[in-house]
Amino acid sequence: MPPRSQVACLAVALQDHMSALLALPGARPPGSAPGAAPSLAQRLGLAPAPAALLTPEQWEAVHAGARARADPRVDACAVCLEPFADCATAQALLSCGHVFHAACLRAFEAHARSRACPLCRAPCYQTRAITDAADARAAAAATRIQAVARGWLARRALVAALVRQPRPPRAQRLRRLWAAGRLAAAAGAALAAGAGAGAGDLDGLFAELDASLGASRRLADPAAARAAAAAGSDGQAAGGCKPNAPAPRAEPGSSSHNKTYTCKWCSTTFSGSVTRALAHLAGIVGIGVAACAAISEGVRNKFKAEWASKQAATKKRRAPLGGDAQQQRSTPACAGSPPGGSGHSSAASRVQGPLERSFQVAEIAHVNAALTDFLYAEGLPLRLVKSPWLRAFVNALQGMKGKYTLPSYDNVRTRHLQEAKDRVDKKLQAWQQRCPQSGVTICSDGWSDRQGNPLLNVLAVNPKGAKFITAVDTTGKTKNAEYVAGVLMNVIEMVGPEHVVQVCTDCAAVCKAAGVLIMARWPHITWSPCVAHVCDLALEDLFSKVDSFKAAHEENKAFITFVRNHHSTLAAWKQFNHSDATGATDAERSELQRTNKLQLIKPGETRFASAHLMLERVAKLKSKIRQYVVSEHWAVAISNFKPGDKALAKKFESLVTSAKFWEQVELAVQVKSLLREMAEQFSSVQQEQEPPLLRATDWELVQKIWDDRWDMMDSPLHGAGYTVDPEYLGDQGIPVGNITDKCVRDWHTMCEKLLPTIEERTQAMAGYMAFRNGEGSFGQDLAKAVAPITPAHQWWETYGQAWPEAQRVAVRVLSQVASASSCERAWSAYDFIHNKRRNRLTPQRARDLVYVFTNTRLATKISAEGGEQFHGWDEEEEMSESEQ
């Protein structure tokens, strides 16, 4: 190589090496790591070559030096300051002799952007995994297990040795064992000696055993001992009863208490127990022995006192179930009592009889007290005792063999919560299996939680029910069409785009634009506005813009607000509402029973059609409201009002008793039927209809409002569903000729969306024409009879099998919901969980809790269809929804 070329090559190699060291753009890193391939400059000797890898012998020396410097089994990591003993994973040993957690070392390298030891700054170190801490942890665990086992064996041997020693131990439990052993040995020796002495001494042996057994019973029953002493020594001194000697041995199966007694006062001989002898001397009749006639009155009184003492002891020992509290005696408090004392000793603190012990009365009372204290102290609904999930928990607890310990707080809110979500997903397999056949509607709505975080929740709905999918925290996000469409597209990908038929949201412009973006990506999906929102907006327009409806709404709202905001009028209304049915006819009594549970409804801001619901309830209570404002209850309730409130009450009194007021109420209540008739007009061929009892200007305004809202909720799904609904076929509803061209076009549109080929669409149209003409199975008398009472999608699944393409489209169209009201129920679940007492829940944790809460009830409802009913979280205990 010419000298000039050699110089140029060296310059290029050195320039490449220096640029890599300076981390210039486009430069390759030099071979600086141990054992790495050298760079060109290193091969030419212009830079130091990379270090060689350590040999196993060198690593052993480094490891020994690290142990001599600091034991990695005891010391802590210098990066995270956590002991190595707390971590079961391997540690990283550096070639410089320092030890770190492997994860801590990787994090330090990523943060420092260099390869240098965190302690000594040694560059280009080598690493090796060691398991000293894990080995020490396993050895310590094995040592502890061995210590426990050896301790148990040693204690067992010690107990055996103490029981065998000649002197009794001091401990009470060991003393009982020692006495039992000594007694067993003595009894065995006596029996062996008696058996070896011959049959002649057996009677004496058994007599000694009877005497010993009687002495034991006297020690166990002090009252019987006192009675025996009175009948023996005192009785003999006073001329009482004494057993004949020698006492006969008790025959097998007979009671050892039965003996033969002879009274020294009256010389009467009788057999029985010491209780019968005491009754003879005390003059107690009805015990199977006559009273002693020769005993003196002073001695008889003494025996009477002894009899009363014995009866009192017997009554206390055999107290009945739920006995007098004065006959109960205290026992130590039960373990596991809550703070502030147990308070659970009413049934568990007194002596129990055999019947109570067999039915576990004390144990059940203790558990019931603990459960009710938990409910009362935490302010939980009392209906939780009916919860099937509580019963499942109790059954699982009873099936355990060992002791149960509650999980920790962190595990309940993290690991166990995720496991609950996984279990719920497994339980919803039936819901998931329904999706390919009927399709899914994705519903979405916005809301703000207790902390003011804006949330966007998304649910998936099919004929099995509404499944909660997710709730997205949109804090700091610009909620434009692209963002909303992105959230919904992610959910569609989770559910499966092939299963989604419809996306249903409210009528906001952003949601409509998001629906356009979704339909552009997946043409088979249809965006539809929520019909409930549209109808609510139409009712709001009617009650705020039409004078006839507006006056009724404002007057009734003011009256109900006045009654409910004053305690006296509200209490008087509740008292008056529960009228007495005495003397009423059967019809009047039935009407009273129907209206006694109804209360005045106050309009709500978030409730759909709240104004109409309020007026409808007022119309149902018309007779009672008119009687209430002229009753004595009303007069007494407003008697102590201030002049201003009293004048307002008089105004309401004259208003409610006027005929015009109730005419407006009845007219406003008819708005629901009016809207339904107008909807049927728009759905079928236009027909002439007489306007209701409205002014001409009001009627024109009603038509204009409905025209605008009808155009807002127009969707091809609605028209297609109307034209294939068997309830509106022929004699069952709208005649075939009254189906408009738009409904037929909507059916064509849905066929194009859901069927990919022209052949399938042709077959679907043939099946549709057969349905409209009542051909084949569609024309069966049974099919026409069950059409009004069978869900439309199930009707098509049963009678549309001859036309599978039409059946597929009809089932998917008729299985979709027309509103996103399931989102409102999800918000109610959110408000139930993320309440004022739990306002520190993060949006993510609240979302997981709502997921388990809502979908668990959906899974239970699906699995228990036609079975046992369970109480939902929104069911009131004291008052049903109709009573509110």
Side-chain angles (χ1 to χ4, degrees), residues 161-168 178 182:
L162 291 176
V163 169
R164 288 194 303 268
Q165 69 180 357
R167 293 184 179 181
W178 179 85
R182 302 280 290 187

Side-chain angles (χ1 to χ4, degrees), residues 722-808:
Y722 178 76
T723 190
V724 295
D725 192 338
E727 186 176 357
Y728 302 113
L729 176 64
D731 298 336
Q732 306 299 329
I734 305 299
V736 177
N738 286 358
I739 299 298
T740 62
D741 294 339
K742 182 183 180 307
C743 295
V744 179
R745 290 196 302 270
D746 291 340
W747 169 258
H748 293 170
T749 302
M750 295 310 302
C751 289
E752 293 175 356
K753 283 177 169 290
L754 300 178
L755 299 176
T757 63
I758 189 66
E759 291 80 6
E760 292 177 331
R761 298 170 189 170
T762 303
Q763 294 295 328
M765 287 305 303
Y768 170 75
M769 295 306 301
F771 167 75
R772 299 308 311 172
N773 296 328
E775 300 176 0
S777 58
F778 295 133
Q780 297 177 2
D781 294 338
L782 181 59
K784 295 179 180 180
V786 301
I789 59 175
T790 305
H793 64 90
Q794 294 182 6
W795 190 91
W796 268 91
E797 291 173 357
T798 304
Y799 298 102
Q801 298 178 4
W803 296 270
E805 292 79 9
Q807 182 191 42
R808 177 185 175 187

Side-chain angles (χ1 to χ4, degrees), residues 29 55 137 210 287 403 411 504 536 603 641 645 727 750 793:
T55 62
R137 188 175 182 180
D210 289 341
I287 309 299
K403 183 179 179 181
N411 286 338
C504 185
D536 183 61
F641 280 5
D645 291 342
E727 186 176 357
M750 295 310 302
H793 64 90

Side-chain angles (χ1 to χ4, degrees), residues 45-319:
L46 300 177
L53 296 176
L54 296 181
T55 62
E57 293 78 11
Q58 292 174 333
W59 273 117
E60 290 294 334
V62 171
H63 197 178
R67 289 181 174 177
R69 181 186 300 111
D71 191 352
R73 299 171 297 177
V74 179
D75 292 344
C77 175
V79 177
C80 66
L81 304 181
E82 293 290 337
F84 290 115
D86 294 344
C87 181
T89 58
Q91 297 86 48
L93 173 65
L94 275 60
S95 56
C96 60
H98 294 118
V99 181
F100 308 91
H101 288 129
C104 297
L105 183 62
R106 290 193 298 269
F108 181 82
E109 292 176 349
H111 178 73
R113 298 183 179 178
S114 63
R115 190 176 178 85
C117 177
L119 289 179
C120 64
R121 311 304 297 172
C124 302
Y125 55 79
Q126 302 180 38
T127 60
R128 186 178 186 182
I130 60 175
T131 59
D132 291 354
D135 296 342
R137 188 175 182 180
T143 302
R144 185 165 185 177
I145 294 173
Q146 292 177 0
V148 172
R150 289 171 180 172
W152 181 82
L153 293 175
R155 287 191 297 272
R156 184 178 179 183
L158 178 61
V159 169
L162 291 176
V163 169
R164 288 194 303 268
Q165 69 180 357
R167 293 184 179 181
R170 294 183 179 181
Q172 184 178 2
R173 185 177 67 88
L174 296 178
R175 186 183 294 270
R176 288 198 300 267
L177 294 176
W178 179 85
R182 302 280 290 187
L183 182 61
L191 287 175
D201 295 331
L202 288 180
D203 291 338
L205 174 64
F206 287 122
E208 292 179 5
L209 290 179
D210 289 341
S212 176
L213 185 60
S216 300
R217 285 198 175 93
R218 286 194 296 273
L219 291 176
D221 191 351
R226 289 195 299 268
S233 62
D234 293 345
Q236 284 183 355
C241 301
K242 64 176 184 178
N244 292 332
R249 181 172 61 88
E251 295 298 329
S254 64
S255 173
S256 61
H257 283 278
N258 292 332
K259 297 180 183 297
T260 302
Y261 293 90
T262 301
C263 179
K264 298 191 66 175
W265 285 90
C266 61
S267 301
T268 301
T269 302
F270 56 89
S271 63
S273 64
V274 69
T275 303
R276 181 171 294 182
L278 184 59
H280 172 73
L281 297 174
I284 307 299
V285 296
I287 309 299
V289 63
C292 181
I295 194 170
S296 63
E297 191 65 26
V299 178
R300 187 186 302 278
N301 293 335
K302 180 180 178 181
F303 286 121
K304 283 184 178 180
E306 192 69 31
W307 175 268
S309 176
K310 178 177 175 62
Q311 294 301 315
T314 305
K315 184 176 181 181
K316 183 177 181 179
R317 186 174 63 254
R318 300 178 180 178

Side-chain angles (χ1 to χ4, degrees), residues 24-53:
L24 297 178
R28 294 177 300 173
S32 57
S39 63
L40 179 61
Q42 291 173 335
R43 287 197 298 268
L44 295 177
L46 300 177
L53 296 176

Side-chain angles (χ1 to χ4, degrees), residues 602-869:
K602 190 175 182 179
E605 296 294 334
T606 60
R607 183 183 296 176
F608 285 156
S610 60
H612 180 266
L613 294 175
M614 175 191 66
L615 293 171
E616 193 173 37
R617 179 60 58 84
V618 169
K620 290 181 180 179
L621 297 172
K622 174 182 176 180
S623 59
K624 281 199 172 184
I625 293 176
R626 296 183 66 176
Q627 297 174 13
Y628 170 61
V629 296
V630 296
S631 66
E632 187 67 22
H633 297 79
W634 173 266
V636 173
I638 67 175
S639 60
N640 295 326
F641 280 5
K642 296 179 180 179
D645 291 342
K646 186 174 292 186
L648 188 58
K650 293 295 183 182
K651 177 183 177 182
F652 286 129
E653 182 178 335
S654 60
L655 177 66
V656 173
T657 55
S658 64
K660 182 179 178 182
F661 174 82
W662 293 106
E663 289 178 359
Q664 292 178 346
V665 170
E666 293 175 359
L667 181 62
V669 170
Q670 295 176 1
V671 68
K672 182 170 64 175
S673 58
L674 173 63
L675 294 181
R676 181 176 180 179
E677 293 174 1
M678 296 178 67
E680 291 178 353
Q681 274 191 336
F682 277 83
S683 301
S684 58
V685 177
Q686 297 290 337
Q687 298 177 354
E688 296 293 333
Q689 180 186 11
E690 294 292 334
L693 300 177
L694 291 174
R695 293 180 301 179
T697 55
D698 290 346
W699 174 245
E700 293 177 358
L701 183 57
V702 169
Q703 288 184 320
K704 183 179 182 305
I705 291 173
W706 184 247
D707 290 346
D708 297 339
R709 297 305 180 185
W710 180 266
D711 295 338
M712 181 182 293
M713 66 178 176
D714 184 31
S715 173
L717 263 175
H718 302 160
Y722 178 76
T723 190
V724 295
D725 192 338
E727 186 176 357
Y728 302 113
L729 176 64
D731 298 336
Q732 306 299 329
I734 305 299
V736 177
N738 286 358
I739 299 298
T740 62
D741 294 339
K742 182 183 180 307
C743 295
V744 179
R745 290 196 302 270
D746 291 340
W747 169 258
H748 293 170
T749 302
M750 295 310 302
C751 289
E752 293 175 356
K753 283 177 169 290
L754 300 178
L755 299 176
T757 63
I758 189 66
E759 291 80 6
E760 292 177 331
R761 298 170 189 170
T762 303
Q763 294 295 328
M765 287 305 303
Y768 170 75
M769 295 306 301
F771 167 75
R772 299 308 311 172
N773 296 328
E775 300 176 0
S777 58
F778 295 133
Q780 297 177 2
D781 294 338
L782 181 59
K784 295 179 180 180
V786 301
I789 59 175
T790 305
H793 64 90
Q794 294 182 6
W795 190 91
W796 268 91
E797 291 173 357
T798 304
Y799 298 102
Q801 298 178 4
W803 296 270
E805 292 79 9
Q807 182 191 42
R808 177 185 175 187
V809 177
V811 169
R812 287 213 157 198
V813 168
L814 295 171
S815 298
Q816 310 313 311
V817 295
S819 71
S821 57
S822 54
C823 296
E824 301 295 335
R825 289 190 289 272
W827 293 138
S828 299
Y830 250 101
D831 193 50
F832 177 74
I833 292 176
H834 199 180
N835 51 33
K836 292 182 180 180
R837 296 181 61 185
R838 306 170 71 185
N839 57 359
R840 297 186 63 184
L841 287 174
T842 61
Q844 294 77 17
R845 183 133 313 122
R847 176 197 61 200
D848 293 342
L849 290 172
V850 172
Y851 183 92
V852 176
F853 181 88
T854 305
N855 293 337
T856 298
R857 279 155 176 76
L858 174 61
T860 306
K861 180 181 177 181
I862 294 174
S863 61
E865 288 180 351
E868 181 181 0
Q869 298 295 324

